[in-house]
Amino acid sequence: MDGAPYEVLLDSCAELETFRRASGNLYERVRTCLFLFHIYRFYLMEAGQVSRAGYIPYRAYEDLLDRRFEEALERLQDAVRRNGPSGTLFSAIAQCYRDLAFETLTDQVRRSVRASRGNQWMFRVGNAIDHSVRIRRELTSRIDGSPYYPILCEKTPVRLDLSHSGWSDIFFLGMDYPEGARGVEHIG
């Protein structure tokens, strides 16, 4: 993409958008949104023919705030057609694609997790007391006046993430390089 002419970049964006809308594969849609984000945010603005100043239609701004990214994209693209390109509009379009990518990724993760029969408990939790994961009582008190709590040693055949943070990498890794998506962690 470096050094690609402005018109080629715009044609590429149109093709990617057509592909994104037609694809039923959430993974492909996430990747396409991220490609579009990068093209609008970085490459189109550097390719010239784009004024830095411009206005974002207020309705598109409201759509962005209300997380209606598809509607915001339509309004922003319409503003580009009516008023010409601007860095402001391209930046807002890039933000739409970025947010849409993460919304789609969330849908992808939700669909993938719900597809596994063993994960159904995660969607029945209405209160912390309903959660099936419990903390062992021995881990909540210090031993013999020690300033330290007991150490938990976790051994499991699958990846268990008690904090539910930082694991979305496995989905992308699993799709791009399935044989490398095996997580092993040992704290000795």
Side-chain angles (χ1 to χ4, degrees):
M1 287 281 155
D2 279 337
Y6 180 78
E7 292 77 20
V8 170
L9 291 170
L10 284 180
D11 290 344
S12 297
C13 287
E15 287 179 38
L16 284 167
E17 177 61 15
T18 301
F19 175 77
R20 181 187 74 84
R21 289 183 181 272
S23 178
N25 183 311
L26 292 176
Y27 174 68
E28 290 175 348
R29 290 188 5 219
V30 168
R31 302 242 342 190
T32 304
C33 283
L34 292 174
F35 286 137
L36 285 161
F37 161 73
H38 280 275
I39 294 170
Y40 275 100
R41 180 66 184 92
F42 302 108
Y43 294 103
L44 276 170
M45 293 220 235
E46 299 302 322
Q49 301 180 11
V50 177
S51 70
R52 295 287 181 201
Y55 295 98
I56 297 173
Y58 187 72
R59 295 287 306 273
Y61 172 72
E62 287 181 319
D63 288 336
L64 269 170
L65 289 179
D66 290 334
R67 303 183 57 78
R68 294 188 304 261
F69 305 120
E70 296 288 353
E71 293 87 343
L73 274 173
E74 287 179 29
R75 293 183 201 284
L76 292 166
Q77 294 288 10
D78 185 52
V80 170
R81 283 188 291 278
R82 281 186 288 113
N83 307 324
S86 72
T88 306
L89 286 171
F90 282 173
S91 183
I93 290 169
Q95 188 64 43
C96 277
Y97 280 121
R98 181 190 174 281
D99 292 343
L100 192 56
F102 284 103
E103 181 179 76
T104 307
L105 177 61
T106 301
D107 292 342
Q108 176 189 0
V109 170
R110 186 179 298 119
R111 184 184 293 176
S112 177
V113 169
R114 285 186 175 179
S116 176
R117 187 178 176 105
N119 291 333
Q120 292 172 345
W121 63 269
M122 286 191 260
F123 302 100
R124 290 192 301 263
V125 177
N127 188 309
I129 204 157
D130 297 334
H131 207 286
S132 64
V133 176
R134 302 281 186 252
I135 303 295
R136 294 180 58 133
R137 188 173 304 279
E138 311 83 87
L139 297 175
T140 62
S141 58
R142 296 181 177 109
I143 301 171
D144 300 327
S146 169
Y148 305 110
Y149 287 92
I151 295 173
L152 171 66
C153 180
E154 177 185 312
K155 294 180 181 179
T156 177
V158 296
R159 186 172 179 164
L160 176 66
D161 187 355
L162 297 175
S163 67
H164 196 64
S165 63
W167 59 272
S168 63
D169 61 312
I170 290 297
F171 289 96
F172 282 117
L173 186 59
M175 290 177 197
D176 282 342
Y177 179 55
E179 60 275 13
R182 294 183 185 100
V184 176
E185 182 176 332
H186 177 73
I187 301 174

